[in-house]
Amino acid sequence: MTVKRGSFTVVLGAPGSGKSTLLQHLNGLLLPMEGKVASGDVTLGAAAAENGGLPEGTTPRKRTKAEKKELDASLLKLRKKTGLVFQFPEKQLFEETVLQDLSFGPLNFGCNPQEAEAAARNAAKEVDLDAGLLDKSPFQLSGGQMRKAAIASVLASGPQVIALDEPTASLDQQSREELLLLLKALCRDEGKTILIVTHRLEEVLPYGDDFVVISKGRHVFQGSAGELLGRRDVLEEAGIVVPPYLSMLEELARSMKVPLPMDALSPKEAARWIAETLSGSR
Amino acid sequence: MRSRIVFGKYIEGSSWVHRLDPRAKTASMLLFMAAVFVTDSYASILALLLFAAVVIMSTRIPLAMFARAIKPLLFIIVFIFLFHVLFETSGQSFIDLGPFTLYAGGLERGIVSASRMILFIAFAAILTFTTRPESLVQGLGSLLMPLRFIGLSPGKIALMVGIALRFIPTVFEEAERIWKAQLARGLNLSEKPLVKRAMLLLSLLVPVLAGSFRRAVDLADSMEARGYRLGVARTSYRALQWSSRDTLFLLSFALPVTAGILL
């Protein structure tokens, strides 16, 4: 699969389909056994896997010092470019204060303390995290604030690509929308590449430019939202639930013998389309 | 991280060792430990090694698994061996190596001590490899029953051990996830001095500990919500059943102990 620079890409898959594995590859936390991962001028191929972390059961060839150094250097480069937000990232906060946690990334990537702090404050502002919270311990924050802080801790390193594993899981409806709008803004205004992994189609449908479906560890579809909705077979096979309002829309279109609208991707747009169709203005 | 640790794991099987009563296995293991403890000669340690080999073979678990259980402690075993060989001065001296003189007594003590360690680990491994953690805990609770008379609650102890065993892999998983999150944010250990590395590893403890406390509270709540009360008599899904085979197994362990004391 290919992810275009500056796009908002959604990776859909049922639980256990390999979404999280895919995400870890983007950051070199897992190394490929076959094929390769290429990002900018960094390529991690199967050769890297031979030298790197192999799954249990196989005995890796011992890396020579030079090879290890080279791998480390390219991994660091890749990780600077690609920020990875894990599932329930709030559980990973570990420093004494939120500010220190946000500075962790920038410091690792070679910023001096002043630059790191500036980057941290900036990232907090970007996710709309109250500056007064920065000097608190991460454990004094509420769940929603911790999630924001954790996302800011990745943004602080200034990655070009931001990959997120189910970022909206267990957030309330309002925080979900806020978060997705924030990501959309990062993508649109700052040209960041956003890659979201999720199994909830309805919440990402209005935001994504490009949709990838994976099923049982295989890449089975890539295309726009409209194309994806036209491929119910793909969705069904991959075990992704079609949002109820879209099923309703489809039923309605069929019984009224009108073509299915391809632009009605959010519930609001769908409702408008239904109203317009029923009143005969379409 | 967690997949490499085999010690304490249960390995599915249907050998007669698997089917024994956990109480018989735990008690036998204690007997065996006692036997290992009193041995101090080639002859007796060889007898125990043979005995252990027979039990290990009957579990039908590949030897490699036992080797993997011993591997993390190999360094200590080698250290103990060398310590005895180099510094023990009993028996006849037979080799002169510059500052060190090797003695037959030292060699014997080295071999016996190293074998002792191996036997300890191998037997603990037999117990955990062939017994489901639940049965192990259940057996433990039952074996600890006499403690009631000195005011301790065997049920509480068994519950604590059971929960601890259950959550070892979970805690490892969590630590691994946090570790990966830090790697993703550019953590690069290889360039850091040793002290700094240790500090960073320590920083892993904070979120892991916080997570464990949170989980403990949740677990207690969910157990209470389902009607669990501490110190109340409970029935169990798998009732322990002591058969003549268990008695036989236990008796067969009395053999090496007496032999060990006599030899």
Side-chain angles (χ1 to χ4, degrees):
Chain A
M1 65 179 262
T2 319
V3 176
K4 269 197 242 44
R5 191 187 171 92
S7 71
F8 193 116
T9 300
V10 177
V11 177
L12 292 157
S17 56
K19 292 169 296 183
S20 301
T21 308
L22 174 71
L23 220 52
Q24 291 186 30
H25 274 291
L26 296 183
N27 214 309
L29 289 174
L30 294 175
L31 295 170
M33 294 190 74
E34 275 173 44
K36 62 182 180 187
V37 177
S39 167
D41 54 354
V42 178
T43 302
L44 298 174
E50 191 192 330
N51 303 327
L54 278 184
E56 71 165 318
T58 38
T59 32
R61 180 168 65 85
K62 266 267 194 287
R63 274 175 283 183
T64 65
K65 251 197 170 133
E67 279 174 331
K68 192 168 182 281
K69 218 169 176 169
E70 197 188 308
L71 183 69
D72 274 353
S74 54
L75 283 180
L76 199 64
K77 217 160 141 191
L78 183 67
R79 285 173 188 162
K80 184 170 162 53
K81 192 177 166 201
T82 310
L84 198 54
V85 180
F86 283 87
Q87 219 169 354
F88 303 117
E90 58 273 21
K91 286 190 185 161
Q92 291 140 16
L93 300 171
F94 66 99
E95 291 277 22
E96 276 167 50
T97 67
V98 176
L99 187 66
Q100 281 175 21
D101 215 290
L102 299 196
S103 317
F104 179 75
L107 285 175
N108 279 329
F109 292 122
C111 289
N112 65 37
Q114 287 83 17
E115 288 168 349
E117 190 180 327
R121 291 192 183 278
N122 208 10
K125 210 173 351 178
E126 260 182 308
V127 298
D128 201 19
L129 188 71
D130 188 19
L133 295 174
L134 287 179
D135 295 320
K136 292 204 170 163
S137 155
F139 298 103
Q140 288 175 297
L141 270 53
S142 75
Q145 289 169 336
M146 277 165 94
R147 177 77 52 104
K148 279 183 180 175
I151 292 173
S153 74
V154 171
L155 289 182
S157 312
Q160 161 58 32
V161 183
I162 304 165
L164 306 97
D165 195 353
E166 309 240 3
T168 58
S170 81
L171 284 184
D172 58 81
Q173 191 60 33
Q174 195 194 341
S175 315
R176 263 177 210 192
E177 273 168 31
E178 270 177 29
L179 179 59
L180 287 166
L181 281 172
L182 164 78
L183 294 173
K184 187 72 191 169
L186 282 172
C187 176
R188 192 184 47 221
D189 305 337
E190 297 183 29
K192 306 247 188 227
T193 313
I194 305 283
L195 192 136
I196 285 192
V197 157
T198 183
H199 62 266
R200 261 190 291 250
L201 180 58
E202 78 269 22
E203 62 181 42
V204 286
L205 212 43
Y207 303 101
D209 306 321
D210 200 16
F211 292 80
V212 174
V213 179
I214 55 177
S215 170
K216 298 183 191 105
R218 305 211 78 85
H219 166 262
V220 291
F221 172 87
Q222 182 160 15
S224 70
E227 284 164 5
L228 179 65
L229 291 175
R231 292 292 305 276
R232 290 302 161 92
D233 55 322
V234 168
L235 289 176
E236 199 156 304
E237 209 215 302
I240 295 155
V241 181
V242 176
Y245 67 86
L246 283 175
S247 306
M248 176 185 156
L249 211 61
E250 207 179 41
E251 281 296 308
L252 209 64
R254 195 180 311 135
S255 62
M256 293 182 65
K257 302 200 168 45
V258 286
L260 193 66
M262 279 308 166
D263 53 351
L265 297 177
S266 69
K268 221 183 241 168
E269 289 164 19
R272 191 180 315 124
W273 180 84
I274 293 172
E276 284 171 1
T277 314
L278 289 180
S279 64
S281 59
R282 265 217 188 203
Chain B
M1 205 185 285
R2 105 205 82 108
S3 53
R4 263 174 265 154
I5 296 168
V6 295
F7 196 75
K9 230 184 206 169
Y10 170 69
I11 298 166
E12 194 78 48
S14 58
S15 72
W16 58 266
V17 186
H18 279 85
R19 289 197 304 268
L20 284 170
D21 189 298
R23 285 170 297 186
K25 278 188 271 191
T26 313
S28 314
M29 195 185 76
L30 289 176
L31 276 179
F32 191 80
M33 295 275 178
V36 168
F37 212 70
V38 296
T39 28
D40 53 2
S41 68
Y42 281 134
S44 51
I45 205 83
L46 192 70
L48 286 180
L49 280 171
L50 274 175
F51 188 81
V54 170
V55 182
I56 285 177
M57 295 306 257
S58 11
T59 62
R60 286 194 241 137
I61 290 167
L63 262 181
M65 290 304 288
F66 288 94
R68 274 170 69 186
I70 291 172
K71 213 171 152 195
L73 291 164
L74 204 59
F75 174 75
I76 299 176
I77 296 172
V78 170
F79 178 79
I80 289 177
F81 174 72
L82 285 179
F83 188 84
H84 280 295
V85 170
L86 294 181
F87 298 111
E88 182 89 24
T89 53
S90 65
Q92 249 181 336
S93 72
F94 61 99
I95 302 175
D96 232 355
L97 284 174
F100 298 109
T101 312
L102 302 190
Y103 293 89
L107 189 67
E108 177 166 8
R109 285 203 61 88
I111 290 177
V112 168
S113 305
S115 311
R116 238 184 227 165
M117 278 291 286
I118 293 173
L119 282 172
F120 270 137
I121 303 164
F123 255 78
I126 291 179
L127 185 67
T128 59
F129 281 175
T130 63
T131 320
R132 281 173 208 285
E134 312 86 272
S135 329
L136 202 60
V137 168
Q138 203 183 348
L140 191 70
S142 164
L143 278 179
L144 291 178
M145 275 305 172
L147 288 184
R148 266 184 317 186
F149 299 116
I150 55 165
L152 289 170
S153 156
K156 264 189 213 175
I157 299 174
L159 178 71
M160 283 194 292
V161 174
I163 290 176
L165 282 179
R166 158 66 185 78
F167 281 99
I168 289 170
T170 315
V171 169
F172 266 115
E173 227 166 85
E174 180 138 315
E176 191 175 13
R177 222 179 19 230
I178 293 164
W179 183 239
K180 278 190 170 172
Q182 297 194 356
L183 282 179
R185 282 158 70 190
L187 177 69
N188 190 356
L189 277 190
S190 55
E191 282 174 14
K192 299 249 162 45
L194 206 60
V195 179
K196 183 92 190 174
R197 271 194 237 182
M199 292 292 288
L200 280 166
L201 282 176
L202 273 180
S203 72
L204 260 184
L205 285 180
V206 177
V208 171
L209 214 61
S212 301
F213 277 115
R214 192 175 42 218
R215 191 170 289 121
V217 172
D218 287 350
L219 181 71
D221 285 346
S222 82
M223 284 170 75
E224 278 176 3
R226 284 176 288 166
Y228 184 84
R229 277 183 300 151
L230 208 55
V232 177
R234 307 176 67 218
T235 54
S236 42
Y237 181 63
R238 274 179 237 262
L240 297 177
Q241 256 183 341
W242 189 278
S243 66
S244 51
R245 210 173 26 207
D246 297 305
T247 316
L248 211 64
F249 187 69
L250 191 56
L251 280 180
S252 74
F253 273 76
L255 199 76
V257 183
T258 24
I261 292 167
L262 292 181
L263 282 172

